[in-house]
Amino acid sequence: MFASTIQGTPEHPVLRLEGSLTLEHATQIHAALTARLAAPEPFSIDLRGADRFDLSFVQILLALLKDGSRPIGFLPLPDGLVELAASVGADSLIKDITTRIEEHV
């Protein structure tokens, strides 16, 4: 199962990704992120409702943050994602996201 919803305020929306963030749902995840990137306002990503991650999601995050032209924030990351990123050598991804953590969105 995968779900995406928009929360937050119109000035600063939060894209909440929930469920299984895996290859099986990569097309849907990409579509949700692409739609949010098309909007002009800055946004944050909330992954706290996700229960599964795989390498495809780590790759999506790397591609998303590689551009750097949009200010994208994150709510605190689930431990499972941090552990997966560390296990595949994506420590720089976690460091980048950590600088973007927003505690109160």
Side-chain angles (χ1 to χ4, degrees):
M1 178 198 100
F2 166 74
S4 69
T5 56
I6 301 295
Q7 300 174 338
T9 66
E11 297 81 28
H12 192 90
V14 175
L15 176 61
R16 183 170 171 88
L17 302 178
E18 300 178 280
S20 182
L21 305 181
T22 60
L23 182 60
E24 177 183 9
H25 302 288
T27 302
Q28 294 166 292
I29 295 165
H30 182 265
L33 288 167
T34 301
R36 191 70 253 156
L37 285 168
E41 60 277 346
F43 69 100
S44 295
I45 299 173
D46 181 359
L47 303 172
R48 295 174 297 175
D51 55 19
R52 292 186 59 215
F53 306 93
D54 69 5
L55 184 56
S56 69
F57 186 70
V58 171
Q59 290 173 320
I60 288 171
L61 287 178
L62 284 167
L64 176 69
L65 298 178
K66 185 177 181 179
D67 177 358
S69 65
R70 290 286 304 274
I72 300 170
F74 286 84
L75 275 67
L77 297 177
D79 291 338
L81 177 59
V82 174
E83 292 166 7
L84 173 63
S87 74
V88 297
D91 298 334
S92 63
L93 170 67
I94 297 303
K95 287 178 185 172
D96 186 10
I97 290 175
T98 301
T99 66
R100 301 166 184 250
I101 296 288
E102 302 173 8
E103 298 292 336
H104 305 286
V105 174

